[in-house]
């Protein structure tokens, strides 16, 4: 079926059938879900077989508790982290969920009693107290000045953003991540928390404020991870220090390079090629003095569109640094990057034209109000940057289309690729269009998109009315020859039933292979990962 034919069919369906503007359970996506489950069986919903090589565990990370002790989180990022796993087998699958036992969730915190000289140690959850902690946008009612000071006594460890595996084989460690240098380790089978670590890296002068990113990447050709550490300066005029590190395991690190910037840039992701790490040091800067005063990360993040983006290219082999300037952009997710035959670097990035203010769209009062939720269209768009480090130039390509449906598919976010093509020329990325607007091209339902970067107009997608997909996980066929010989997994929220289900798609056609309903729902979150059985 051609793109234009598919478009005509979609528009006909939307014309002939009215999709419910208010799915019964849509707002459950943004509500607290305290249910913790262990190995609950799930059943495939059809007799279709799944690929014999698909055996492993899909783990999703999501904020799942927003109220505690009379206080409420203001922003979805500040819900307490909960991980959910789906152990996938040929005949059976099992669902497990558990809150991460981070200090934000369970730590002993000082709470005064009726006796002024007596301090009683309590546990945040057990004591039904929202213990003071650094947050993204604060709590309601807000922390008082004493509580804000107390917040800095503990790490920013509500690791509700992503999950990752460090090491290999028997030395594997599974960890939940956020955009700070902290790891909440967990057991893959039970999801039991195994400790929260902030490892120090030899050769770096350490401090308590350390930014990192929730998207480490596997160095091509290795089992090692690459990430960065940023140490901000609280002294005016002093530069911020960035260290690019190789992580062999959570006890073994190598510093590959060091670069500086005048201000502390927020970078949620970066890109790798075979030889380079690529950082877009965007003009979204932290005011750490303000953060110390408010104990809020998001409140201290500003957007400066009059300043350039510094593209920093780090040679992974030599540590050499090259810097090129481009127009100001705000992004959260890189898709992939690769080197061309003439020595340039191509980087694909999902960015937001309005800058860091996009984070305000994820405040819970807006997400929990149907009127304001429906006013939240997708603001992401895919861009391609071609970086010439020799001639110090950057060319920008914007993916746009006059066709409303095709242009809608360019508004992709959380891009995922076949990891066998990390750092290489590639043709396909998979992602989601997070658009709650009833007037969008699919009448208020998310699209899970397969974007064809090599043949324009050949994008494919999957959607179902009132079903809301999450970030996909792409699992390549171990014997596959084609880049899109993969299955695509997504945890989909059925807003009519109020439950989530596992969706298994064929990566070539984007047609369903099978589905399986979970015993509950997974609240709205951004990231997860599939871990194949070893």
């Amino acid at each position: 079926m051609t793109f234009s034919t598919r478009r005509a069919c979609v528009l006909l369906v939307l014309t002939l059938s009215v999709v419910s503007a208010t799915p019964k359970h849509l707002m459950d996506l943004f509500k607290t879900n305290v249910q913790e489950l262990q190995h609950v069986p799930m059943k495939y919903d059809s007799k279709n077989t799944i690929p014999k090589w698909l055996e492993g565990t899909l783990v999703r990370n999501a904020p799942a508790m927003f109220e505690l002790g009379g206080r409420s989180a203001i922003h979805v990022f500040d819900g307490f982290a909960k991980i959910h796993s789906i152990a996938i087998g040929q005949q059976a699958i099992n669902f497990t969920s558990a809150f991460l036992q981070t200090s934000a969730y369970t730590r002993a915190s000082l709470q005064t009693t009726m006796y002024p000289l007596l301090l009683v140690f309590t546990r945040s959850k057990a004591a039904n107290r929202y213990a003071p902690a650094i947050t993204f946008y604060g709590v309601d009612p807000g922390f008082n000045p004493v509580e804000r000071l107390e917040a800095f006594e503990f790490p920013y460890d509500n690791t509700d953003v992503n999950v990752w595996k460090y090491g290999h084989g028997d030395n594997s460690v599974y960890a939940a991540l956020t955009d700070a240098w902290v790891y909440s380790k967990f057991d893959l089978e039970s999801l039991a928390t195994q400790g929260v670590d902030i490892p120090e890296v030899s050769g770096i002068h350490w401090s308590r404020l350390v930014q990192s990113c929730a998207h480490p990447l596997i160095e091509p050709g290795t089992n090692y991870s690459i990430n960065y550490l940023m140490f901000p300066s609280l002294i005016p005029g002093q530069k911020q220090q960035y260290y690019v590190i190789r992580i062999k395991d959570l006890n073994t690190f190598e510093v590959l390079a060091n670069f500086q910037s005048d201000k502390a840039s927020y970078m949620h992701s970066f890109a790798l090629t075979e030889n380079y790490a690529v950082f877009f040091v965007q003009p979204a800067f932290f005011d750490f003095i303000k953060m110390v005063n408010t104990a809020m990360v998001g409140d201290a993040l500003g957007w400066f569109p009059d300043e350039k983006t510094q593209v920093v290219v780090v040679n992974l082999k030599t540590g050499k640094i090259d810097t090129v300037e481009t127009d100001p952009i705000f992004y959260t997710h890189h898709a992939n990057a690769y080197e061309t035959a003439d020595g340039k670097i191509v980087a694909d990035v999902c960015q937001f034209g309005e800058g860091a203010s996009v984070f305000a769209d994820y405040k819970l009062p807006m997400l929990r109000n149907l009127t304001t939720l429906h006013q939240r269209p997708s603001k992401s768009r895919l861009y391609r940057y071609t970086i010439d480090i020799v001639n110090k130039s950057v060319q920008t390509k914007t993916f746009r289309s006059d066709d409303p449906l095709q242009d809608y598919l360019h508004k992709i976010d959380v891009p995922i690729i076949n990891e066998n093509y990390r750092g290489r020329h590639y043709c396909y990325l998979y992602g989601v269009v997070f658009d709650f607007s009833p007037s969008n091209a699919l009448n208020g339902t998310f699209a899970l998109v397969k974007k064809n970067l090599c043949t324009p107009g050949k994008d494919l997608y999957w959607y179902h009315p009132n079903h809301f997909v999450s970030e996909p996980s792409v699992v390549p066929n171990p014997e596959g020859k084609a880049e899109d010989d993969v299955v695509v997994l997504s945890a989909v929220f059925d807003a009519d039933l109020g439950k989530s289900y596992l969706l298994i798609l064929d990566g070539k056609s984007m047609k369903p292979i099978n589905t399986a309903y979970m015993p509950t729902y997974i609240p709205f979150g951004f990231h997860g990962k599939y871990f194949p059985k070893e």
Side-chain angles (χ1 to χ4, degrees):
M1 184 183 293
T2 65
F3 187 92
S4 58
T5 305
R6 290 197 312 276
R7 175 177 179 270
C9 290
V10 169
L11 293 178
L12 178 62
V13 169
L14 296 180
T15 301
L16 297 178
S17 63
V18 178
V19 178
S20 170
T22 312
K24 183 178 178 182
H25 297 282
L26 174 58
M27 309 316 291
D28 287 354
L29 267 177
F30 313 107
K31 291 182 179 179
T32 287
N33 183 345
V34 298
Q35 190 176 23
E36 295 184 283
L37 300 168
Q38 276 286 320
H39 305 302
V40 179
M42 298 164 55
K43 294 182 179 180
Y44 291 118
D45 296 320
S46 78
K47 295 182 179 179
N48 295 340
T49 59
I50 66 171
K52 292 182 178 180
W53 45 265
L54 184 62
E55 189 170 7
T57 303
L58 175 66
V59 180
R60 295 289 302 167
N61 194 347
M65 180 187 289
F66 303 99
E67 297 85 20
L68 186 63
R71 277 183 165 136
S72 300
I74 292 172
H75 198 277
V76 70
F77 291 175
D78 291 321
F80 291 111
K82 186 180 180 185
I83 45 180
H84 311 74
S85 74
I86 305 164
I88 302 172
Q90 289 295 304
Q91 305 301 325
I93 45 181
N94 287 295
F95 179 84
T96 300
S97 62
F99 281 95
L100 287 166
Q101 306 297 297
T102 64
S103 75
Y105 184 70
T106 68
R107 65 174 165 82
S109 56
L110 291 174
Q111 178 175 296
T112 58
T113 70
M114 61 184 294
Y115 303 101
L117 297 180
L118 178 64
L119 294 174
V120 179
F121 284 92
T122 63
R123 289 166 66 87
S124 177
K125 177 63 170 59
N128 196 36
R129 179 191 182 219
Y130 205 123
I134 301 171
T135 63
F136 195 79
Y137 263 122
V139 292
D140 183 24
F143 294 130
N144 62 40
V146 174
E147 289 172 319
R148 291 198 295 271
L149 286 174
E150 182 185 339
F152 283 93
E153 291 297 315
F154 302 93
Y156 183 47
D157 70 352
N158 185 29
T159 49
D160 62 352
V161 180
N162 201 5
V163 292
W164 195 253
K165 185 183 82 167
Y166 294 95
H168 185 66
D170 293 339
N171 295 320
S172 296
V173 174
Y174 299 89
L177 312 179
T178 186
D179 285 327
W181 182 242
V182 59
Y183 297 91
S184 302
K185 298 182 289 188
F186 63 89
D187 177 78
L188 183 61
E189 183 176 353
S190 68
L191 301 187
T193 306
Q194 297 177 321
V196 178
D197 284 352
I198 307 177
E200 292 193 10
V201 178
S202 178
I204 298 176
H205 180 69
W206 213 252
S207 71
R208 290 188 63 85
L209 289 174
V210 186
Q211 178 187 320
S212 188
C213 89
H215 291 281
L217 294 172
I218 296 296
E219 184 177 8
T222 77
N223 290 315
Y224 304 147
S225 298
I226 302 293
N227 208 336
Y228 80 92
L229 306 178
M230 189 273 281
F231 291 80
S233 171
L234 299 181
I235 302 174
Q238 190 175 75
K239 292 184 179 292
Q240 327 301 312
Q241 299 292 325
Y242 299 79
Y243 296 89
V244 183
I245 61 171
R246 176 182 290 128
I247 307 171
K248 293 187 174 182
D249 56 49
L250 287 185
N251 296 306
T252 311
F253 310 95
E254 295 178 2
V255 177
L256 303 179
N258 168 230
F259 64 93
Q260 298 81 36
S261 69
D262 291 332
K263 298 177 183 177
S265 174
Y266 170 70
M267 295 188 292
H268 179 67
S269 66
F270 61 98
L272 284 183
T273 71
E274 290 187 16
N275 295 295
Y276 300 101
V278 182
F279 299 89
F280 280 49
V281 184
Q282 60 189 347
F285 301 128
F286 287 112
D287 181 340
F288 281 96
I289 301 299
K290 187 174 184 179
M291 188 187 299
V292 169
N293 288 331
T294 64
M296 288 187 283
V297 175
D299 191 56
L301 181 63
W303 168 241
F304 299 86
D306 294 332
E307 300 198 29
K308 295 287 188 179
T309 294
Q310 305 295 317
V311 181
V312 178
V313 179
V314 178
N315 189 309
L316 296 172
K317 309 298 192 295
T318 67
K320 183 177 182 294
I321 306 292
D322 287 286
T323 302
V324 184
E325 285 191 344
T326 190
D327 291 334
I329 69 168
F330 183 79
Y331 70 96
T332 51
H333 299 118
H334 281 262
N336 194 19
Y338 59 89
E339 300 162 38
T340 63
D342 59 355
K344 297 182 177 66
I345 298 171
V346 173
D348 294 330
V349 183
C350 298
Q351 70 176 68
F352 301 88
E354 67 193 73
S357 64
V358 69
F359 285 144
D361 290 352
Y362 292 98
K363 289 185 176 180
L364 286 167
M366 296 179 65
L367 295 174
R368 290 173 170 176
N369 180 295
L370 198 62
T371 299
T372 53
L373 182 65
H374 280 169
Q375 294 171 355
R376 196 207 171 282
S378 174
K379 298 176 180 178
S380 177
R381 184 173 292 275
L382 185 65
Y383 282 69
R384 170 162 285 187
Y385 294 87
T386 302
I387 304 158
D388 186 340
I389 58 178
V390 175
N391 295 306
K392 301 292 184 182
S393 65
V394 179
Q395 292 183 337
T396 306
K397 173 186 176 182
T398 308
F399 289 84
R400 296 188 185 276
S401 175
D402 293 331
D403 183 306
L405 180 55
Q406 188 175 17
D407 196 60
Y408 171 80
L409 300 180
H410 296 326
K411 298 179 180 181
I412 197 170
D413 199 2
V414 292
I416 303 296
I417 66 168
N418 179 339
E419 284 296 323
N420 293 330
Y421 288 77
R422 175 67 59 191
R424 298 169 51 193
H425 181 274
Y426 73 124
C427 287
Y428 304 107
L429 66 82
Y430 301 81
V432 179
V433 182
F434 293 113
D435 191 327
F436 287 98
S437 170
S439 62
N440 75 29
L442 297 180
N443 205 23
T445 297
F446 294 174
L448 201 164
V449 179
K450 175 188 181 182
K451 183 136 204 65
N452 191 323
L453 300 167
C454 296
T455 309
K458 296 295 184 180
D459 298 339
L460 299 177
Y461 61 92
W462 181 93
Y463 90 106
H464 190 283
N466 296 341
H467 290 209
F468 296 84
V469 297
S470 65
E471 173 200 58
S473 290
V474 174
V475 188
N477 180 349
E479 299 180 357
K481 304 298 183 184
E483 181 184 344
D484 59 349
D485 188 355
V486 300
V487 296
V488 179
L489 309 176
S490 181
V492 183
F493 179 67
D494 181 336
D496 293 323
L497 295 181
K499 289 186 176 182
S500 297
Y501 64 89
L502 172 68
L503 172 66
I504 306 174
L505 294 176
D506 176 84
K508 286 182 177 289
S509 66
M510 293 296 283
K511 293 181 178 179
I513 297 173
N514 218 321
T515 58
Y517 271 83
M518 304 173 204
T520 184
Y521 66 93
I522 300 177
F524 183 81
F526 290 96
H527 301 300
K529 192 168 178 61
Y530 174 81
F531 302 106
K533 185 176 181 180
E534 293 185 342

Coordinates of all heavy atoms in Angstrom, one line a residue, residues 77 197 312 352 531:
F77 N 8.0 14.2 36.1 CA 9.4 13.7 36.4 C 9.6 13.4 37.8 O 10.6 12.7 38.2 CB 10.4 14.8 35.9 CG 10.6 15.0 34.5 CD1 11.4 16.0 34.0 CD2 9.8 14.3 33.5 CE1 11.5 16.3 32.6 CE2 9.9 14.5 32.2 CZ 10.8 15.5 31.7
D197 N 24.4 3.6 44.1 CA 25.8 3.9 44.1 C 26.1 5.2 43.4 O 25.4 5.6 42.4 CB 26.6 2.8 43.4 CG 26.8 1.6 44.2 OD1 26.4 1.6 45.4 OD2 27.3 0.6 43.7
V312 N 30.5 19.7 19.9 CA 31.8 19.2 20.4 C 32.0 17.8 19.9 O 31.2 16.9 20.2 CB 31.9 19.3 21.9 CG1 33.3 18.8 22.4 CG2 31.7 20.8 22.4
F352 N 13.1 20.6 19.7 CA 11.9 21.4 20.0 C 12.2 22.9 19.7 O 13.1 23.5 20.3 CB 11.5 21.2 21.5 CG 11.3 19.8 21.9 CD1 12.3 19.0 22.3 CD2 10.0 19.3 21.8 CE1 12.1 17.7 22.7 CE2 9.8 18.0 22.2 CZ 10.8 17.2 22.6
F531 N 16.3 -6.6 27.3 CA 17.5 -7.3 27.6 C 17.4 -8.8 27.2 O 16.6 -9.5 27.8 CB 17.8 -7.3 29.1 CG 18.0 -5.9 29.7 CD1 17.0 -5.3 30.5 CD2 19.1 -5.2 29.4 CE1 17.1 -4.1 31.0 CE2 19.2 -3.9 29.9 CZ 18.2 -3.3 30.7

